[in-house]
Amino acid sequence: MPLRPLAPLWLALSLSLLVACGGDDGANGTATPKTTAGTPTASARSTAIADLARAVVQIQALDSGGDPVWHGSGTFISVDGLILTNGHVVDDRQQEYQDLGVAITSKTDEPPELRYLAKIVAVDYALDLAVIKIDSDLSGRQVHEQFPFIPTGDSDAIDIGDPIRILGYPGIGGETITLTDGVVSGFTAERGVGGRAWIKTNATIAGGNSGCLAIDSKGQLIGVPTIAGSGANASTVDCRLIEDTNRDGRIDSNDTCVPVGGFINGLRPVNLSSPLIEAAESGRQYVSKIEPASPPASGFDTSQVAISNLVFGADVTSEDKPTEVVTILPTGAKKMCAFWDYEGMANGMSWEALWYVDGALSEEGSIIGDTWIGGPTGNWWACLVDEEKGLPDGLYEVIVSVEGEARGSDTLFLGGQHPNVNLKVDNRSSDSVCYAFISPSGALNWGFDKLDLDEQIDPGTSHTFQLPANTYDLLLENCNQDAIAEEHDLDLSKDTAYTARGQ
């Protein structure tokens, strides 16, 4: 699947927000120490930021010498030292660290101090959630302290526009804890997880904050900022092979990777962590219903991965099918979904559904670095949603990427006048046309071949394609993937004939 160079633009599809994980702005919050179970002390109702900060910890993966390999954030959720965080923050599947250290903040203008060691008591790598518990101090002695904590709330009760407060250790702009305010800007459904798989926010939250605290106006923990599936020691900003930068018709190691990510805009709803918390509190073993396999030490074999039959729909049926297949959606549409078939996948692979609007990446609407849980073959979907304002008019494009490599893409028009027109391609070259790529001129990628596997346009014959009216680019290739013709900005506002004469 050949791809075009990517425009360096950015676009957010949900409500504007005043947030970036940065400095201390003096906002309110509630950390809840308990003297006995279920009985908060008077200080539990304190609104000081310092109380919040004492309940949020920095988690450090320590090597045999006690030096940090990576770090993330977490939140005390019980008086006896249970901490909710991300699965990738504590990922021990490949034994890349020896101990989990927990650093706490005493003063908000000073870096956190490493004081405790913790152990994993429940983890779900598919959801990228984990619960760890304070196990000892740094010398291995038992700890009998009572810890300030944040009560968990109901993430199903929040709605678009509700305020959110985020506190954690972002790892950029200094080493101290940072606090930001914002609002809920939407929700994302995810196949295999549910209709409220993510709480979306346009708060700019840097990578070290994954696993940190997100609370509502009541001071209750309602979400965990997450870089899903990215791996504990992965760079926050990852490079993906998602475009054919050298324009040779293939995406491979000869192409230049494109940076994707760097900021988290999704929160895992705290309700998804309830089974983990219950298992941790009861002392029983947690078993994930959607747990993927551990990644092999040498990486996944993606040579057999194939994405096909990518189509768009306005919504998803209860059978995980499009309500109807569309190439155009009307102005004001609040939801669009991409559907595709797949094979050669393996649970635990990293995958992405990257949405672009008029050439600009929607990091909020995209699924970035998620963990595959769908098995080797089947069909899948991903949706882009703005329930409040509706999605803006424009050219929408989705790229399905597996292990950092693009495997399929296609486009959809939202709004505007795009009646179906016919493009008749006459082949007057000496080669058969085996591949025909036709995509809107504003698209970043060529998309899928428009000819079926058993179709070709032999010399002296023609083939007619039906397309929504627009300006298009055209690439015709022979069976060796050598270009026969390449044209840009073809006006297809009405039925048109194009003659390919070879190069």
Side-chain angles (χ1 to χ4, degrees):
M1 178 193 67
L3 302 173
R4 293 196 197 97
L6 185 65
L9 302 174
W10 303 91
L11 180 67
L13 293 183
S14 50
L15 301 175
S16 60
L17 195 59
L18 305 175
V19 185
C21 258
D24 187 340
D25 63 3
N28 296 328
T30 304
T32 313
K34 285 186 181 178
T35 51
T36 59
T39 309
T41 66
S43 63
R45 293 180 292 275
S46 169
T47 58
I49 294 173
D51 287 344
L52 279 172
R54 283 191 287 270
V56 179
V57 303
Q58 185 183 71
I59 300 170
Q60 300 178 10
L62 305 174
D63 62 19
S64 58
D67 296 319
V69 181
W70 67 75
H71 81 266
S73 302
T75 305
F76 279 121
I77 56 171
S78 74
V79 69
D80 59 346
L82 289 180
I83 298 168
L84 180 63
T85 184
N86 282 143
H88 77 262
V89 170
V90 301
D91 192 344
D92 63 347
R93 289 175 293 178
Q94 295 190 22
Q95 300 179 337
E96 296 179 8
Y97 68 88
Q98 181 164 307
D99 294 302
L100 283 176
V102 176
I104 64 172
T105 288
S106 298
K107 296 182 178 179
T108 56
D109 59 353
E110 295 179 358
E113 179 185 355
L114 183 62
R115 290 192 184 179
Y116 307 105
L117 298 178
K119 62 180 180 181
I120 300 173
V121 290
V123 62
D124 192 320
Y125 293 113
L127 295 175
D128 201 7
L129 291 170
V131 178
I132 65 175
K133 186 173 184 178
I134 298 295
D135 190 42
S136 70
D137 63 16
L138 298 180
S139 299
R141 293 186 293 266
Q142 257 190 322
V143 174
H144 301 287
E145 297 180 36
Q146 292 185 329
F147 297 94
F149 69 94
I150 307 295
T152 56
D154 181 5
S155 53
D156 287 341
I158 62 172
D159 208 342
I160 290 176
D162 287 352
I164 282 183
R165 178 159 297 141
I166 295 168
L167 194 67
Y169 300 90
I172 61 174
E175 298 179 347
T176 58
I177 197 166
T178 62
L179 173 71
T180 55
D181 288 336
V183 298
V184 175
S185 56
F187 306 94
T188 297
E190 183 178 330
R191 173 96 183 253
V193 178
R196 192 171 283 205
W198 296 96
I199 301 168
K200 304 302 286 187
T201 173
N202 56 359
T204 304
I205 310 165
N209 253 334
S210 55
C212 74
L213 166 69
I215 59 173
D216 60 12
S217 59
K218 300 177 183 178
Q220 296 178 330
L221 193 157
I222 50 86
V224 181
T226 303
I227 303 180
S230 61
N233 59 345
S235 171
T236 303
V237 181
D238 291 326
C239 256
R240 314 288 204 264
L241 292 171
I242 58 174
E243 56 179 293
D244 180 23
T245 57
N246 64 2
R247 299 187 65 79
D248 65 354
R250 293 172 293 278
I251 304 169
D252 52 31
S253 58
N254 294 320
D255 294 305
T256 302
C257 67
V258 177
V260 174
F263 295 93
I264 311 164
N265 293 101
L267 315 175
R268 275 300 194 193
V270 73
N271 287 13
L272 292 179
S273 70
S274 295
L276 287 88
I277 295 172
E278 291 170 3
E281 290 176 336
S282 66
R284 61 179 172 81
Q285 183 178 2
Y286 171 78
V287 179
S288 172
K289 296 180 180 179
I290 54 175
E291 183 67 47
S294 297
S298 58
F300 287 101
D301 177 12
T302 60
S303 62
Q304 302 303 311
V305 171
I307 303 296
S308 60
N309 300 324
L310 199 160
V311 298
F312 295 95
D315 208 340
V316 186
T317 70
S318 58
E319 291 80 30
D320 292 314
K321 303 292 184 181
T323 49
E324 62 175 327
V325 175
V326 298
T327 57
I328 303 167
L329 284 173
T331 295
K334 295 182 177 181
K335 187 175 186 179
M336 68 171 64
C337 302
F339 301 80
W340 63 91
D341 295 334
Y342 62 89
E343 58 185 68
M345 296 290 290
N347 285 349
M349 282 181 170
S350 174
W351 76 280
E352 296 167 328
L354 304 174
W355 288 93
Y356 292 83
V357 187
D358 291 331
L361 175 67
S362 168
E363 262 196 81
E364 286 196 336
S366 298
I367 296 174
I368 298 178
D370 208 350
T371 302
W372 185 253
I373 57 174
T377 62
N379 57 74
W380 211 254
W381 53 260
C383 296
L384 193 60
V385 185
D386 190 333
E387 292 287 358
E388 185 179 44
K389 292 184 177 180
L391 300 169
D393 286 1
L395 174 65
Y396 285 74
E397 185 172 13
V398 64
I399 300 175
V400 179
S401 174
V402 179
E403 288 290 303
E405 299 179 6
R407 295 291 176 167
S409 72
D410 212 339
T411 56
L412 173 78
F413 294 103
L414 194 157
Q417 299 300 313
H418 303 281
N420 285 333
V421 299
N422 294 317
L423 171 64
K424 181 181 179 182
V425 175
D426 291 313
N427 184 8
R428 295 293 178 259
S429 74
S430 59
D431 280 334
S432 294
V433 174
C434 294
Y435 303 96
F437 300 98
I438 311 170
S439 65
S441 296
L444 304 173
N445 312 312
W446 286 109
F448 288 99
D449 175 21
K450 298 296 185 183
L451 292 171
D452 292 334
L453 290 176
D454 57 351
E455 280 187 318
Q456 62 185 43
I457 311 173
D458 293 323
T461 66
S462 64
H463 188 92
T464 299
F465 302 91
Q466 190 175 75
L467 306 160
N470 196 65
T471 301
Y472 283 86
D473 297 337
L474 170 71
L475 174 64
L476 304 177
E477 295 179 337
N478 64 21
C479 297
N480 294 322
Q481 292 189 296
D482 298 320
I484 294 174
E486 183 173 350
E487 297 288 342
H488 294 265
D489 299 320
L490 289 172
D491 181 8
L492 301 186
S493 56
K494 59 183 180 180
D495 290 350
T496 304
Y498 174 83
T499 300
R501 301 188 184 279
Q503 294 188 346

